[in-house]
Amino acid sequence: MAGMNSTDRINVPAVTPITSLGYALLWLIRARPQSGYGLRMVFDTTPLGNYSSSPGSIYPALKNLQRAGLIDNRREDGRPVFVITGNGDVALEAWLSVPVTADDVGRRMDVLMMRFALLQDDANPARTLAFLESMHGAAMAQADNLEAFLAGEVGGSMPLQAQLAVRYGLETTKTTVRWAAEAHKALKQGEAKT
Amino acid sequence: MAGMNSTDRINVPAVTPITSLGYALLWLIRARPQSGYGLRMVFDTTPLGNYSSSPGSIYPALKNLQRAGLIDNRREDGRPVFVITGNGDVALEAWLSVPVTADDVGRRMDVLMMRFALLQDDANPARTLAFLESMHGAAMAQADNLEAFLAGEVGGSMPLQAQLAVRYGLETTKTTVRWAAEAHKALKQGEAKT
DNA sequence: CCAACCATGTAAGCTGTTACATGATTGA
DNA sequence: TCAATCATGTAACAGCTTACATGGTTGG
C-alpha cells in the first residue's frame, strides 16, 4: 500500500454543479429527447447563448447531468436519446424560478437572457412575468449601487475616465431597466389577446 | 533514457500571450515602479477592471510579463520593484492603439472600458479621442449586424422571447454608441478649456 | 517580542474552448 | 464502396479565481 493516497481508489467522478450550459441542455432534452449529436446540431444552427457546438463542450456537460441523475441515456428505435428524469425536471424548474440579483444584472446578463429565452412557452406563463419583474427590481438596485459608488468617497475621487467607465455601466443598467419594463408590457399584451 | 519524452528537459516555461490583466499591470508599473505586493494593493482599493487582488492572479501574470521581457525585477532602496522595459513600453503603446472591432463591442466591453480608463493622462491626448471614435464606429457596425440578424431568415423565425433577448443586445449596443459620442464630446470640451 | 504588514508563491478549480481522434451507419 | 452523416470521446489550453502556505521586516 506504499504510496497510496485517498484518491487512488476513487473512480466515480464527482458530480459538479450544473452550469448554465447544463440547464440549456436539460431544457432542450425536456422539449425533445435526443442524442448528444442532435443537441450539438441545435447549438450549431441557433445562437443559443453563444455556446460552442463542439463535442468538447457538450459531452462532458451531458456526462455531468447523467451523473447528477437529471437525465437518462436510453435507446429508441435503435437510436440513442437522452431523456429528462423526474429530478431533472425539478432541478430545471428550480433554476428557472431563482430570483434575479443585482450581481446577476451587473455580471451575468448573458445567462439571464438565456433563461428568459428558455422561459418561452413555459407551462406557467406567470413565471416569465415574475422573472421580468425580478430583473427589473434587481436592475434598479444595481443602478442605485453604481450611483452611490459614483457619489461616494472612492468613486468621486477617481480620474475622469474611470468615472466615465463606471457611468457606462450605469447607462447599460438603465437600459436593462427599460428593456425589462418593455418586455413585460409586450408579453402582457400578447397574453391579453388570448 | 527509458520513459523519457520530449517534455522532460524543458524547464523554461513558454511565454504566453499578454492578457488584459497583463496590460493593466504593465500600465501601473509604467506609471510607478513597484512590487507585486504594491500592485495587489492597487487592485484591492480600486475597481480596476474587476480583477481580483489575490496573489494567484497577479504573480503568475507578472512572471509572464517578465518572461516576455516587458518588465524587469530590480531592487531599489532594498525594496523589490518591477520596472517597465523598452519592449514593454512598445507593447503597451501598441495595445492601447489597437482599433476597436464590432466583436469587441459585442463581447468584451469590460476590456474596452479598462483600456479607456488606462488612456487617462495619455502622452498623446488625440489617442483617447481616436479610441472613442473607433469604438463609436464599431458599435454602429455591431448594431447593424444585430438588426440585420433580426430582419433575416434565422432571426425572424426565432421564438418571440429569443428575439427579445437579441433585441436587448441591440439596445445595449445603441447605449454604447450614445456613450461613446458623449464621452467624446466631454473630453473635447475639457481639452478646449486648456 | 510579537502583531501587523510586506512579499511571493503553489494547487486546485471553474467553465468553458479548440483541435484531434475514432468508429458505426447509410444512402447513392 | 465510399462519402456523408451520426455519434462520442479525450487532451490541452484559456484566463482567470479561491484557498492555502511561507517566510522577511518593522514599529510599538
Side-chain angles (χ1 to χ4, degrees):
Chain A
M1 302 293 283
M4 183 166 193
N5 65 47
S6 66
T7 64
D8 282 348
R9 62 173 72 202
I10 296 182
N11 265 334
V12 183
V15 174
T16 62
I18 309 304
T19 67
S20 54
L21 170 59
Y23 286 110
L25 289 167
L26 204 49
W27 185 85
L28 288 171
I29 289 167
R30 183 174 71 177
R32 192 165 74 80
Q34 53 194 308
S35 69
Y37 181 81
L39 292 163
R40 284 183 52 216
M41 294 304 104
V42 174
F43 281 79
D44 234 11
T45 54
T46 68
L48 222 168
N50 296 326
Y51 291 112
S52 159
S53 72
S54 75
S57 311
I58 310 291
Y59 290 108
L62 287 170
K63 283 268 154 185
N64 191 49
L65 287 172
Q66 198 165 3
R67 277 200 297 269
L70 307 187
I71 58 173
D72 235 10
N73 201 341
R74 293 212 190 126
R75 194 159 274 271
E76 278 178 13
D77 308 326
R79 299 191 170 283
V81 290
F82 291 102
V83 292
I84 194 166
T85 65
N87 281 345
D89 197 67
V90 169
L92 181 53
E93 292 291 311
W95 186 70
L96 289 173
S97 300
V98 172
V100 177
T101 69
D103 199 57
D104 287 337
V105 169
R107 313 226 297 246
R108 278 176 293 277
M109 275 307 301
D110 51 343
V111 175
L112 291 182
M113 281 301 151
M114 197 186 76
R115 259 179 73 184
F116 177 69
L118 298 192
L119 281 168
Q120 180 83 41
D121 301 327
D122 194 79
N124 175 12
R127 178 154 60 176
T128 309
L129 296 176
F131 172 83
L132 288 173
E133 286 153 21
S134 180
M135 184 164 141
H136 188 266
M140 291 206 300
Q142 173 69 357
D144 287 349
N145 289 347
L146 291 174
E147 264 166 357
F149 175 77
L150 280 171
E153 186 81 37
V154 180
S157 64
M158 290 192 313
L160 173 61
Q161 291 180 209
Q163 285 189 39
L164 283 171
V166 175
R167 210 164 279 284
Y168 172 76
L170 178 58
E171 290 307 317
T172 297
T173 307
K174 284 182 182 167
T175 300
T176 306
V177 172
R178 278 195 303 276
W179 178 88
E182 275 163 33
H184 192 276
K185 204 196 297 177
L187 293 190
K188 260 210 155 166
Q189 280 180 359
E191 199 180 49
K193 273 189 187 168
T194 346
Chain B
M1 304 293 284
M4 184 166 192
N5 66 48
S6 66
T7 65
D8 282 348
R9 63 173 70 203
I10 296 182
N11 265 333
V12 183
V15 174
T16 64
I18 310 304
T19 68
S20 54
L21 171 59
Y23 286 110
L25 289 167
L26 205 48
W27 185 85
L28 288 171
I29 289 167
R30 183 175 70 177
R32 191 165 76 79
Q34 52 195 308
S35 69
Y37 181 81
L39 292 163
R40 287 215 297 130
M41 294 305 103
V42 174
F43 282 78
D44 232 12
T45 54
T46 67
L48 222 169
N50 296 326
Y51 290 112
S52 160
S53 71
S54 76
S57 311
I58 310 291
Y59 290 109
L62 287 171
K63 283 266 155 186
N64 192 47
L65 287 172
Q66 198 165 4
R67 277 199 297 270
L70 307 187
I71 58 173
D72 236 10
N73 201 340
R74 294 211 191 127
R75 194 158 272 273
E76 279 178 13
D77 307 325
R79 301 192 168 281
V81 291
F82 290 103
V83 292
I84 194 166
T85 66
N87 281 346
D89 197 68
V90 169
L92 180 55
E93 290 294 310
W95 186 70
L96 288 173
S97 300
V98 172
V100 177
T101 69
D103 198 57
D104 288 336
V105 170
R107 313 223 298 244
R108 278 176 293 276
M109 275 308 300
D110 51 343
V111 175
L112 291 182
M113 282 300 151
M114 197 186 76
R115 257 180 75 184
F116 177 68
L118 298 193
L119 282 168
Q120 179 83 42
D121 301 327
D122 194 80
N124 175 12
R127 177 153 62 175
T128 309
L129 295 177
F131 171 84
L132 288 172
E133 285 154 22
S134 180
M135 184 165 139
H136 189 265
M140 291 207 299
Q142 172 69 357
D144 287 350
N145 289 347
L146 291 174
E147 263 166 357
F149 174 78
L150 282 170
E153 185 80 37
V154 179
S157 64
M158 290 194 310
L160 173 62
Q161 291 179 208
Q163 286 188 38
L164 283 170
V166 175
R167 210 163 281 284
Y168 172 76
L170 178 57
E171 291 306 319
T172 297
T173 306
K174 284 181 181 169
T175 299
T176 305
V177 172
R178 278 195 303 277
W179 179 89
E182 276 163 33
H184 193 276
K185 204 195 299 177
L187 292 190
K188 260 208 154 169
Q189 279 179 359
E191 200 181 48
K193 272 189 188 168
T194 345

